[in-house]
Amino acid sequence: MPNWGGGAKCGACEKTVYHAEEIQCNGRSFHKTCFHCMACRKALDSTTVAAHESEIYCKICYGRRYGPKGIGYGQGAGCLSTDTGEHLGLQFQQSPKPARSATTSNPSKFTAKFGESEKCPRCGKSVYAAEKVMGGGKPWHKTCFRCAICGKSLESTNVTDKDGELYCKVCYAKNFGPTGIGFGGLTQQVEKKE
């Protein structure tokens, strides 16, 4: 039967969807108010939708229903999921766990990955990748990457190091640079001739 006027039919409520309120997904049209997860009813947008045949889900419910099953799946990287999916009508079968020894097979790799991280020379605390700045061949916190004398925040263009400490170029020149007449500081008494 031809569609005499109006717009396409909504994939959720089957009513007419006019252009001003239309959201398209997977070749189907939806009202903005009907564009929600079919399992948890959460509102969706183009970044959170996952389509399966004629159904739309949020990414979490889609993963629970159609993704890999078992412990550790369905909640994103690095998370342990204890959701069995029973509220979605899924059957969960737990596989037997393999026996693990109490000690790690290679403690140096374990320590490098999970244990001790590099320490900041200024404060002595661990320096993680998100806050790491290299200076003088050592890792520093962004907040600790300052001149040891004046406290000025440093950058790669104005940093100098001496004996494991960081200095701005001005403080380094004043304290460790050449001295004498013509170098910014008089250290010799010049006798006046009468």
Side-chain angles (χ1 to χ4, degrees):
M1 181 170 179
N3 188 3
W4 302 104
K9 298 295 180 190
C10 177
C13 70
E14 299 297 324
K15 293 182 181 176
T16 302
V17 181
Y18 296 99
H19 186 68
E21 59 184 357
E22 180 181 33
I23 295 177
Q24 289 190 346
C25 176
N26 212 23
R28 298 176 57 208
S29 297
F30 293 88
H31 293 106
K32 288 180 183 177
T33 56
C34 295
F35 197 61
H36 48 76
C37 176
M38 296 188 147
C40 69
R41 310 298 288 172
K42 183 170 124 180
L44 300 173
D45 62 28
S46 62
T47 61
T48 59
V49 68
H52 182 78
E53 296 174 359
S54 64
E55 300 172 332
I56 56 172
Y57 297 96
C58 66
K59 289 186 177 182
I60 293 172
C61 290
Y62 180 86
R64 287 179 182 157
R65 186 167 283 204
Y66 300 108
K69 305 293 184 274
I71 295 176
Y73 293 104
Q75 293 294 318
C79 293
L80 177 65
S81 172
T82 56
D83 181 19
T84 60
E86 291 175 1
H87 68 285
L88 299 173
L90 301 174
Q91 298 297 320
F92 178 72
Q93 295 178 356
Q94 188 171 0
S95 60
K97 293 180 183 178
R100 289 180 79 176
S101 63
T103 59
T104 59
S105 59
N106 191 344
S108 62
K109 281 186 179 178
F110 180 82
T111 303
K113 189 170 185 179
F114 300 107
E116 307 223 0
S117 60
E118 298 174 297
K119 303 288 183 191
C120 175
R122 177 88 24 97
C123 68
K125 295 181 181 176
S126 296
V127 180
Y128 299 102
E131 57 190 358
K132 183 174 171 179
V133 178
M134 293 299 289
K138 298 177 185 174
W140 300 78
H141 292 109
K142 288 179 185 176
T143 55
C144 295
F145 198 64
R146 298 180 168 278
C147 176
I149 296 172
C150 69
K152 179 181 173 185
S153 183
L154 299 173
E155 297 174 3
S156 62
T157 57
N158 66 351
V159 67
T160 54
D161 67 307
K162 180 173 174 69
D163 300 326
E165 269 299 345
L166 299 178
Y167 302 94
C168 66
K169 288 189 176 186
V170 174
C171 289
Y172 183 86
K174 282 181 184 175
N175 293 287
F176 308 111
T179 57
I181 297 174
F183 291 105
L186 292 175
T187 58
Q188 301 174 357
Q189 287 274 339
V190 179
E191 294 183 22
K192 293 183 182 178
K193 293 185 180 180
E194 294 179 27

